[in-house]
Amino acid sequence: MFNGNSGLKRDLKRVAAKVLSINWFRLVPNRIKLHLVRRAGVCDWHWYARHALGRRTAFLEGPSHFISFGNAEGRSPSPLFDPAWYCARFGLRASPLDALTQYVLIGDWIGLSPSPWFDTRYSRAGAKKAAGIAVVRPQLGRYLADYRETAGPHPLFDQDWYLDEYPDVRASGANPLVHFLYDGLSEGRLPNPYFDPEWYREAHPDIGEGNAFSHFVLYGAAEGRSPGPEFNSRQYLDANPDVAATGMNALAHYLAIGRQNGRELGKRPLSLTDLLVKRIPEAPLLPPGVVDIILPVYRDLVVTRNCVESVLRSKNQTATRLHIYNDRSPEPEVTAYLRDVAAANPSVHLVENVENLGFVRTVNAGMAHVLEHRDSLGALLLNSDTIVSADWVDRMVAHMRPSVGSITALSNNATICSYPNLGANPLPEGMDAGTLDALARETNAGVSVEIPTGVGFCMLISRSALETAGLFDAEAFGKGYGEENDFCMRSAKFGFRHRLAMDVFVEHVGEVSFADDSKPGKVIAQRVIDERYPDYGAQVARFCSMDPGFAARMRLTLAVWKKRAKPAAVLLTHSWGGGTERAVQAMAVSLGQTHEVVVIRPIEDRSGVGEVRVSRVSEFDGFDFLFRYHSPDELASLLHLLEATTLQIHHLVGFGASVRRAVSLSKIPFSFHVHDNYAICPQIMLTNAEGNYCGEPDAAGCDACIAQRPSNGASDIRNWRVQHEWALLGAQQVIAPSKDAAARMQRYTGVPVIAQYHEVDVGDHPVTFGAGAKPYRVLLLGVMAPHKGLNQLNAIVEESRRVGNPMQFHLIGYPQVNPVKDVGFTWSGAYEEEELDDLIARYNPDAFLFISQAPETYSYTLSHALRTGRPIAGNRLGAFTERLVDVPNALLLAHDASARDVVRSLSNWLDGLYSRELV
């Protein structure tokens, strides 16, 4: 008896499994079964002759060989039916012919798959409906008969992409999945744009020496492994929690559903493979035909001459025709120059418009003329304010595929096709367009990424896209702006895609080819685009968010650094912010005068595998990305790819053991910068459980503290210090921000430590005072945590209240554990660093109070107080002692003084200061 839906499903599955485990066709004669499966269209005797008989021409012998020998040997007559896999799924004991018969008559009907590579239900869902004809063949038979009758055989095999990527397969007429499984895999061809076997092996070394794609299909996809550097399975599943309910793996869902729905992938972490230079292919396949370059000109002789001469200088294997259109230039010198060019170069086709037509109509005239040439591959639109280099046309043409409608070059000023950042950029300092183009060719050979729209400054439009989608819409877009966006969106509806060639760089000045004012034109064009294509903005935003060309731009940036030969400095630090972060940022600014500066922070580290955040603050080539490494060797390789000659270790927390091995392998000399006591104490602050200074006990005392408060994975103090002393012992220089911090670190490690304050402008400020009226206004700064003196502050406030409130305490910041606000203690909340001086002035304190219970190594908040010249009281502990000892009107307190003693000392000190001042 069935109990509920779940019980019903369970029982039905049990019954189905039992039915499928029975060999129903064992007693049926083999010739009848072979007749049935042949009529079902699932047999391929040409394939059988090649793979079973080893003779391509013996396909007529296939059926008899299979009956006599192949069936007994466990062979399959179908390239997409795997009898061993099929039988193992259901515990079926049957010959290949029996199993195939069961699949044809039963399995296909209930949606079973004949092999790991063919998903019957997926293929059937994407099958085209046969008009008025009942389909009697199983789905596998339909697919083998004509693969074009279905959207694809499996969600992980992108059939259309495969045929576009490998035009020789399309030209051969071979079934794409069969070709991939029996030829493409061994040739290194890919099943979709996201699977990368080399990357997959590096990322998942446990898969062994077997076929990478087979592992991914059979195991990896279900385990949530990522297929390649362009797709992060975990990130996709996290961003799309509904995927789990579909039962599909992340990549299958994206290819089958998410891509069409516009699901975002987000920026993925880069790997070492992403940052390595892409080698130039030996002989890129260039299609036969001519590329027609359409160059409209309006004004500016200098930029026009630079452009035309760069085109004439370029050397391409691809045949080209240059069509220059003078759109009735208002500058006679431009017209004269173009006539001279045409006279000196008979191959140049010069057209002079009788009236100014504007960019769109001029280009349309050129494209219409191009279509009259049957040998034309397409129209390459080129603005007159560009500079091209070397074999730029060959490289753009190399990205052409049957489904590619347009190809745009990389540029310094081409909105979403720009380098180094999206938008307008100057050229790298000291480099011209030719140098940058050569670097792009070297680092990104053959690399292109899909974009939602091309950019018309340098855009190759294929002939088929022009013939299918038509010319630009001159009526809607007047004299310019938006016409290429409209064309790309319109042609996309016909299945054309658009690519950005990352291996071609073209300099673009911007907005010289237009006769009208650019701003009104842009506004009108944007309005038309938004009305026609409501999702256009979302597509562009999604592209910018995912930024698929980021890895290629990073490779180019690293090549630029290498070419410029400017040394790079890498700073390793944590992600916690605070004083360490401020010191790191100040160091980055200082080093930035002479170095390319990169900051690396840990995200996670698991036994040598993890992620770091790599960032660079720069107006020109700033970046911020996650780098995923699979061994310390890859982390070391990152340092070399960054061309690091200077390495500074500012903190080790979060890196794990990987950073020690990586620094050692890199062989880059490094300095160690002390910001706290992490290297000698896992508690970092040298405080006990109550938040008070621990007094730095012996090893037994430290071990007892660790046992009471396990922290940062420490087991005992001796091993902790041994694990972290390498950073000081191996450093060329160890620097601490105060004498106290330097002496302490030197005492524990025996390594000489240099004391060097973070700032040099905090002394010799004029002495100033507050109002001096009771109750005295005493100001504290920052986040008040227990180790910063929160418990002492509470006791001091209470004591002050008990003796009649001689002082009012105010905190610019906030306490970690909020006490009740009263007349004796208030706080203002979190603040930004740049606001602090104004907040201090607004409060107008009579004095500052610093009661940290941890030996501070420096304290930036103390620097703010010193700059005011106001009286300062602080605990005689850590850097406060040396920084306050010679300061006028300063008071040093014992860190372990009672609240009564502190209140008495503060009150007497302030009375003395302000009674003297008032006199």
Side-chain angles (χ1 to χ4, degrees):
M1 190 171 188
F2 298 129
N3 297 313
N5 289 336
S6 60
L8 176 62
K9 290 180 180 178
R10 233 181 358 256
D11 290 339
L12 286 175
K13 286 183 178 179
R14 192 179 299 115
V15 170
K18 181 64 177 176
V19 169
L20 291 169
S21 69
I22 300 172
N23 185 355
W24 299 99
F25 305 98
R26 180 171 59 87
L27 300 179
V28 178
N30 282 348
R31 297 207 172 271
I32 294 178
K33 288 181 285 193
L34 184 60
H35 177 72
L36 287 171
V37 298
R38 291 180 70 180
R39 281 181 59 85
V42 297
C43 300
D44 185 336
W45 301 114
H46 290 273
W47 171 85
Y48 186 83
R50 176 186 173 192
H51 291 277
L53 303 179
R55 291 176 289 145
R56 293 176 182 270
T57 58
F59 62 92
L60 294 177
E61 303 172 24
S64 60
H65 181 276
F66 176 69
I67 288 290
S68 302
F69 306 103
N71 190 39
E73 294 169 354
R75 298 181 183 275
S76 172
S78 173
L80 298 180
F81 181 78
D82 185 335
W85 180 86
Y86 187 83
C87 290
R89 292 186 69 199
F90 312 110
L92 175 64
R93 301 183 67 178
S95 69
L97 184 54
D98 288 353
L100 184 54
T101 304
Q102 178 178 324
Y103 168 73
V104 167
L105 298 179
I106 300 175
D108 173 77
W109 178 66
I110 61 177
L112 301 181
S113 293
S115 80
W117 321 111
F118 188 88
D119 188 319
T120 298
R121 293 181 180 179
Y122 175 79
S123 183
R124 182 175 289 138
K128 300 174 183 177
K129 303 297 182 183
I133 303 175
V135 178
V136 295
R137 279 185 171 178
Q139 187 58 34
L140 178 59
R142 290 191 65 193
Y143 179 72
L144 288 172
D146 189 349
Y147 64 82
R148 293 164 295 188
E149 288 300 310
T150 176
H154 192 281
L156 293 177
F157 183 72
D158 192 334
Q159 179 170 277
D160 291 338
W161 177 86
Y162 190 81
L163 293 171
D164 286 345
E165 189 70 11
Y166 308 113
D168 59 311
V169 180
R170 182 189 292 274
S172 72
N175 180 289
L177 180 59
V178 174
H179 180 276
F180 170 70
L181 292 176
Y182 296 99
D183 295 293
L185 269 172
S186 60
E187 295 168 359
R189 307 200 195 210
L190 304 178
N192 58 62
Y194 302 100
F195 186 80
D196 184 330
E198 181 181 350
W199 184 96
Y200 189 77
R201 286 185 182 283
E202 290 181 0
H204 313 293
D206 60 298
I207 72 171
E209 296 301 319
N211 181 272
F213 184 63
S214 297
H215 182 277
F216 180 69
V217 172
L218 295 173
Y219 312 107
E223 293 168 357
R225 303 194 189 211
S226 294
E230 299 296 332
F231 186 87
N232 187 315
S233 294
R234 184 178 63 183
Q235 188 177 32
Y236 185 77
L237 293 173
D238 289 345
N240 301 281
D242 61 306
V243 174
T246 67
M248 302 177 73
N249 64 72
L251 181 58
H253 184 277
Y254 178 71
L255 291 173
I257 300 172
R259 185 166 53 179
Q260 286 76 11
N261 292 347
R263 304 268 183 129
E264 293 187 21
L265 294 177
K267 277 190 180 179
R268 59 175 180 78
L270 299 186
S271 67
L272 181 62
T273 304
D274 291 318
L275 297 176
L276 294 175
V277 171
K278 303 300 180 184
R279 297 300 175 189
I280 300 174
E282 293 183 3
L285 183 63
L286 301 177
V290 180
V291 170
D292 287 280
I293 303 170
I294 299 176
L295 179 61
V297 177
Y298 180 66
R299 61 172 182 250
D300 201 322
L301 175 62
V302 173
V303 297
T304 298
R305 179 188 291 118
N306 290 340
C307 175
V308 172
E309 291 181 0
S310 74
V311 174
L312 295 175
R313 280 196 307 270
S314 62
K315 304 294 183 182
N316 298 280
Q317 294 181 34
T318 306
T320 61
R321 286 186 288 256
L322 176 58
H323 309 267
I324 301 178
Y325 285 79
N326 182 351
D327 193 17
R328 194 168 178 79
S329 173
E331 301 173 4
E333 60 272 22
V334 170
T335 298
Y337 168 72
L338 295 179
R339 289 173 179 171
D340 289 343
V341 168
N345 299 272
S347 62
V348 173
H349 174 223
L350 175 63
V351 177
E352 296 184 353
N353 293 344
V354 177
E355 59 179 330
N356 178 261
L357 300 179
F359 183 84
V360 180
R361 288 184 172 83
T362 298
V363 166
N364 272 355
M367 292 191 294
H369 177 70
V370 163
L371 291 176
E372 295 175 0
H373 298 274
R374 300 313 304 170
D375 60 348
S376 178
L377 294 171
L380 204 172
L381 311 186
L382 186 68
N383 280 12
S384 63
D385 53 352
T386 58
I387 295 178
V388 298
S389 308
D391 56 344
W392 65 291
V393 176
D394 287 345
R395 283 174 278 150
M396 293 192 73
V397 170
H399 296 288
M400 293 188 77
R401 300 290 186 276
S403 66
V404 173
S406 73
I407 300 150
T408 300
L410 195 65
S411 177
N412 61 299
N413 183 10
T415 62
I416 64 172
C417 298
S418 296
Y419 169 82
N421 298 299
L422 307 187
N425 305 268
L427 291 183
E429 183 180 354
M431 289 192 178
D432 59 16
T435 303
L436 200 54
D437 178 64
L439 293 176
R441 184 186 194 278
E442 177 185 348
T443 57
N444 294 318
V447 176
S448 65
V449 298
E450 189 163 342
I451 51 179
T453 176
V455 182
F457 81 102
C458 180
M459 179 178 172
L460 172 59
I461 303 177
S462 71
R463 181 187 192 93
S464 57
L466 283 173
E467 291 176 336
T468 304
L471 305 179
F472 289 167
D473 187 342
E475 294 302 319
F477 296 97
K479 293 188 176 182
Y481 296 108
E483 67 283 345
E484 75 267 50
N485 313 115
D486 174 74
F487 173 83
C488 289
M489 297 299 288
R490 178 160 33 99
S491 59
K493 293 183 177 180
F494 293 97
F496 288 101
R497 297 180 297 173
H498 307 282
R499 309 289 294 181
L500 167 60
M502 305 303 297
D503 57 352
V504 183
F505 181 87
V506 174
E507 183 181 356
H508 181 213
V509 176
E511 298 184 358
V512 172
S513 301
F514 300 88
D516 60 339
D517 179 46
S518 63
K519 188 170 291 185
K522 288 181 178 178
V523 172
I524 295 171
Q526 189 62 56
R527 187 181 304 130
V528 175
I529 293 292
D530 291 341
E531 289 175 355
R532 290 184 176 182
Y533 314 103
D535 64 334
Y536 172 79
Q539 287 191 38
V540 173
R542 185 159 54 247
F543 171 84
C544 295
S545 172
M546 293 172 60
D547 198 1
F550 180 74
R553 297 205 311 276
M554 272 304 308
R555 289 192 294 270
L556 182 54
T557 292
L558 297 179
V560 168
W561 288 9
K562 187 174 183 179
K563 183 74 174 179
R564 240 177 1 208
K566 187 177 180 181
V570 173
L571 283 57
L572 306 181
T573 186
H574 58 47
S575 304
W576 293 353
T580 302
E581 180 64 20
R582 177 168 175 178
V584 166
Q585 292 302 323
M587 181 65 73
V589 171
S590 175
L591 287 171
Q593 307 300 316
T594 55
H595 292 73
E596 317 281 10
V597 182
V598 177
V599 180
I600 297 180
R601 300 175 178 86
I603 301 298
E604 62 177 343
D605 185 274
R606 305 180 308 280
S607 303
V609 177
E611 286 182 359
V612 291
R613 181 174 294 280
V614 184
S615 58
R616 165 175 166 79
V617 178
S618 167
E619 291 183 2
F620 173 67
D621 56 3
F623 52 77
D624 189 344
F625 66 89
L626 295 182
F627 175 78
R628 177 169 294 164
Y629 55 91
H630 305 97
S631 68
D633 304 61
E634 292 191 1
L635 193 53
S637 295
L638 172 65
L639 298 176
H640 286 297
L641 285 172
L642 293 171
E643 297 287 320
T645 58
T646 297
L647 179 61
Q648 295 183 354
I649 301 177
H650 287 263
H651 219 286
L652 294 172
V653 67
F655 282 106
S658 298
V659 70
R660 178 179 183 177
R661 177 68 177 158
V663 170
S664 174
L665 289 170
S666 74
K667 301 188 183 304
I668 302 172
F670 66 92
S671 57
F672 183 81
H673 298 253
V674 177
H675 295 284
D676 54 36
N677 298 291
Y678 181 78
I680 60 174
C681 174
Q683 312 295 5
I684 304 178
M685 302 301 176
L686 298 179
T687 53
N688 58 24
E690 290 72 39
N692 298 321
Y693 175 48
C694 68
E696 301 179 52
D698 58 14
C702 290
D703 288 345
C705 178
I706 291 172
Q708 181 186 9
R709 292 186 300 152
S711 182
N712 291 305
S715 58
D716 64 84
I717 196 63
R718 180 181 178 279
N719 281 307
W720 176 268
R721 288 171 181 164
V722 168
Q723 290 170 12
H724 293 85
E725 67 182 3
W726 68 269
L728 288 89
L729 296 175
Q732 286 194 326
Q733 197 176 55
V734 180
I735 301 171
S738 64
K739 296 174 184 176
D740 180 84
R744 180 176 292 103
M745 203 60 62
Q746 186 166 321
R747 183 170 71 251
Y748 279 100
T749 65
V751 176
V753 181
I754 300 169
Q756 189 175 93
Y757 283 177
H758 290 318
E759 304 161 291
V760 295
D761 62 340
V762 294
D764 300 326
H765 289 278
V767 175
T768 60
F769 291 89
K774 291 186 178 181
Y776 297 116
R777 297 160 64 87
V778 179
L779 188 61
L780 300 99
L781 305 176
V783 178
M784 190 57 64
H787 71 276
K788 292 288 188 179
L790 178 59
N791 298 331
Q792 286 72 16
L793 175 61
N794 290 335
I796 290 169
V797 170
E798 179 61 32
E799 175 64 16
S800 180
R801 184 189 302 113
R802 189 187 69 79
V803 299
N805 284 331
M807 288 168 286
Q808 167 69 48
F809 298 92
H810 180 74
L811 172 64
I812 296 178
Y814 59 92
Q816 273 192 350
V817 179
N818 290 349
V820 177
K821 285 188 179 181
D822 61 19
V823 293
F825 176 47
T826 57
W827 65 90
S828 57
Y831 60 88
E832 297 295 332
E833 179 73 25
E834 59 269 18
E835 302 174 322
L836 185 52
D837 289 335
D838 287 341
L839 291 172
I840 291 172
R842 195 178 308 161
Y843 186 73
N844 189 27
D846 295 310
F848 292 92
L849 177 62
F850 294 89
I851 51 174
S852 175
Q853 294 299 297
E856 299 273 5
T857 56
Y858 183 69
S859 179
Y860 282 103
T861 53
L862 176 60
S863 299
H864 282 276
L866 286 168
R867 281 192 286 268
T868 68
R870 300 287 172 100
I872 301 173
N875 279 349
R876 191 186 298 274
L877 191 64
F880 285 109
T881 304
E882 66 195 77
R883 295 189 69 191
L884 291 177
V885 67
D886 295 324
V887 173
N889 301 324
L891 173 67
L892 286 169
L893 303 164
H895 74 276
D896 54 356
S898 68
R900 177 179 295 183
D901 289 344
V902 171
V903 170
R904 185 184 296 117
S905 296
L906 289 175
S907 183
N908 292 338
W909 172 61
L910 290 169
D911 283 344
L913 285 173
Y914 282 98
S915 62
R916 183 180 63 208
E917 178 66 16
L918 292 173
V919 171

